[in-house]
Each structure stands twice: as structure tokens, then as C-alpha cells.
Amino acid sequence: MNHLENLKKMVTGEIPGPPVAQLLGFKVVEVEEGRVVIEMEASERLHNPMGTLHGGILCDIADAAMGYTFASTLADDELFTTVEIKLNFLKPIFDSKLRAEGKLIKKGTTVGLLECHVYDEKGSLVAHSTSTCMILKGNAEPKRVERGNGK
């Protein structure tokens, strides 16, 4: 499994995005090693009780952009997991096309530090996020096996 090549195939539509991307409606639109951009249309269907975009949606697209970014740097037999994420909300969103730009800050042998800027359709910064990811080596399976129940 070549992570970078699979991400590039998502951009061209050769392979679908993961279920969460389909559920929320976000798409990978740009990919290069150490940088991934995701876009999505935010609308009323994703509003919280206050009438603005639910903050968890911003966290989801930032997490996805940073996760895809980290995956773009991994060897074929490596997977990863997010061990920490932080998000600053900078302005409310009602209806807007959002653009989440994930970028690798530093990658070590076991952990990586990433950041994401989320912009609205006017190019205004909506949220800033950082994430720490841990590399899981020696696992060529595309999905991790949950221990104990055979799934």
C-alpha cells in the first residue's frame, strides 16, 4: 500500500475517500508529500444548536487533513495513530466552502508534528489546529485488527 499514491488517486476519483469523508462531504483536492488540502461545503445540515457550524466538523476536517498529510510521508509498511489534537476556533461559520490545509512541521522516527489552517471561501482563517501522530511500524495491513473480538 503506497499511501501517497492512494491519496493522489482520491484526488482524481480513482478510489473513493473513506466513509467519514463521504458522510461529511469532504474531498481531498491537493496532495504532495508532507502537504494535503481538503475542501468541503459547510451548510445548515451541519449546524449546532447555536446556528453555526458545529466545531467538531472543523476538528474532523483538520484531523483528516493532518492525518492524510502524515500518511503521505509514511513507508508502505507503516500506519499511524493520532495521539493528540488541538484546535483553535477563530470565527463562526454558517454556510461556506471550507479549505483545510494540512502541513507537516516535523517528522521523527516515531512521532510527527503537524498543523492545519482552515479557511472560509473568502480566504479568512477560521481555525488553526496542531496534531501529534505516532508511527506504527511493521503493519502492512490496511486496517488495524481489533484484538480480542476478531474484527
Side-chain angles (χ1 to χ4, degrees):
M1 167 173 49
N2 185 302
H3 305 290
L4 182 58
E5 289 306 313
N6 282 342
L7 288 166
K8 289 179 179 179
K9 287 179 181 179
M10 277 188 222
V11 172
T12 63
E14 292 176 63
I15 62 173
V20 69
Q22 295 170 37
L23 177 69
L24 295 178
F26 65 79
K27 294 183 190 263
V28 178
V29 296
E30 294 178 30
V31 172
E32 60 187 72
E33 187 173 339
R35 183 178 173 273
V36 171
V37 178
I38 288 174
E39 290 183 347
M40 78 170 288
E41 290 289 338
S43 66
E44 188 176 311
R45 73 181 184 89
L46 300 172
H47 282 186
N48 61 29
M50 300 294 142
T52 61
L53 181 68
H54 190 278
I57 303 300
L58 288 170
C59 194
D60 278 332
I61 64 171
D63 184 42
M66 291 183 289
Y68 287 152
T69 296
F70 198 58
S72 76
T73 70
L74 298 179
D76 292 352
D77 68 340
E78 293 177 329
L79 296 176
F80 77 96
T81 189
T82 301
V83 295
E84 180 270 342
I85 189 169
K86 179 187 183 304
L87 185 84
N88 293 97
F89 303 102
L90 303 173
K91 68 183 267 190
I93 293 297
F94 301 93
D95 296 319
S96 183
K97 184 174 187 176
L98 298 176
R99 180 177 173 91
E101 300 181 3
K103 178 182 162 190
L104 180 69
I105 297 172
K106 170 121 174 102
K107 181 182 176 193
T109 56
T110 56
V111 297
L113 178 63
L114 300 109
E115 75 174 342
C116 181
H117 293 124
V118 182
Y119 299 97
D120 66 13
E121 60 196 17
K122 295 178 182 172
S124 179
L125 188 62
V126 170
H128 175 261
S129 184
T130 57
S131 179
T132 304
C133 293
M134 181 175 66
I135 298 170
L136 305 173
K137 295 181 186 257
N139 188 350
E141 293 297 318
K143 292 185 178 183
R144 288 177 267 178
V145 175
E146 189 174 322
R147 302 280 185 229
N149 65 8
K151 288 186 180 177

